[in-house]
Amino acid sequence: VVLEKLIDQQLAVEQAMDAKLNRSPDTVTQLETARREILAGAYIKQVASGVPRPSADETRKYFTEHPQLFAQRRIFSVQEILVGTNAEASAQLHSLVSTGKPMEQIAAWLKEKNIPFSGGTATRAAEQIPMEILGKVNALTDGQTTVIDTPASITVLHLISSQSAPVPDTAALPRIAQFLLNQRVNAAVATNLQHLRTVSKITYVGEFAQPAKPAASEPIVALAPVAANGDARRAAIDKGLAGLK
């Protein structure tokens, strides 16, 4: 089957060359784009090849230092209300939660104050929650509610229920090793490219000569949607340890 496909491909290539399609502007552009991507990918692969793999001790240390992701891993069923950054709203939300107000009353208060928000329910494993807030979520017991403030949003999170789902070291260690290697590769590539920027002359032309600045009236906070289908706010939540998947 593979051989027959290669034969068909070669026949098509020969016909394209006979028809001078290799000289058409669209084809030339696509060929050049593919060439640039292949060369850039080859260079990044070369940089990555020089990055040392994490040792067994480093991998084991990560496993030990993050029990909430492995030995004490939990799967959380949560109800959420997501609000944009608002100092006044944050203070009131903290007050409502501290006095034990249910999520329905919190949502009603937001509606009364005409504060935009989104909400829903979701089920997430520990690794789908950003590390910077996982500790706060993991500290909750079933039925508890908390407010999580971040630079981009305010989340009122109610833990409906949770279940223990530990990951044994035999399954976790290979994935941790790959995750740590990916981190090192990304850092090495970023450092290398930053160095190339400092030693290279880069000239912006045309519409890129003076990058436009955002207008002062443009919003600086984009709210991620929260849907009731369990995939809510994935863009914000899935940052955690995606490399471990």
Side-chain angles (χ1 to χ4, degrees), residues 14-223:
E14 291 175 359
Q15 292 301 307
M17 298 292 287
D18 289 344
K20 303 292 192 275
L21 295 179
N22 60 311
R23 299 181 184 178
S24 72
D26 286 346
T27 303
V28 170
T29 299
Q30 291 178 40
L31 288 172
E32 179 59 24
T33 298
R35 174 179 174 276
R36 290 166 60 88
E37 290 179 352
I38 291 171
L39 288 173
Y43 177 71
I44 291 174
K45 186 176 180 180
Q46 182 187 57
V47 173
S49 67
V51 176
R53 297 188 65 85
S55 67
D57 288 343
E58 290 173 315
T59 304
R60 172 64 66 175
K61 180 181 179 183
Y62 191 94
F63 178 86
T64 303
E65 291 181 348
H66 297 81
Q68 69 273 31
L69 292 173
F70 308 109
Q72 301 172 15
R73 176 177 177 265
R74 295 159 68 193
I75 296 176
F76 306 93
S77 178
V78 300
Q79 184 179 7
E80 298 171 313
I81 293 176
L82 184 68
V83 185
T85 52
N86 182 318
E88 182 179 351
S90 175
Q92 185 60 33
L93 290 172
H94 277 276
S95 177
L96 291 171
V97 169
S98 67
T99 56
K101 294 296 187 293
M103 296 290 277
E104 293 75 12
Q105 288 190 25
I106 294 174
W109 178 82
L110 290 168
K111 289 180 181 179
E112 179 185 341
K113 298 299 181 180
N114 293 320
I115 299 175
F117 70 94
S118 54
T121 59
T123 299
R124 297 194 186 91
E127 65 272 15
Q128 294 176 306
I129 300 175
M131 289 296 291
E132 60 268 23
I133 68 172
L134 177 57
K136 193 166 186 177
V137 176
N138 199 55
L140 296 175
T141 58
D142 293 358
Q144 285 190 316
T145 304
T146 190
V147 179
I148 300 173
D149 293 279
T150 72
S153 65
I154 308 164
T155 300
V156 182
L157 187 145
H158 174 71
L159 180 57
I160 301 171
S161 64
S162 63
Q163 64 184 61
S164 176
V167 179
D169 57 356
T170 52
L173 293 177
R175 294 156 66 186
I176 294 173
Q178 186 61 51
F179 169 71
L180 294 177
L181 178 61
N182 290 346
Q183 278 192 326
R184 290 182 179 183
V185 168
N186 291 339
V189 170
T191 299
N192 195 278
L193 292 177
Q194 184 58 42
H195 171 70
L196 292 176
R197 280 177 171 268
T198 61
V199 300
S200 303
K201 182 179 180 181
I202 301 175
T203 303
Y204 294 91
V205 297
E207 62 181 301
F208 303 106
Q210 294 181 338
K213 296 182 179 180
S217 59
E218 292 181 0
I220 60 174
V221 176
L223 294 182

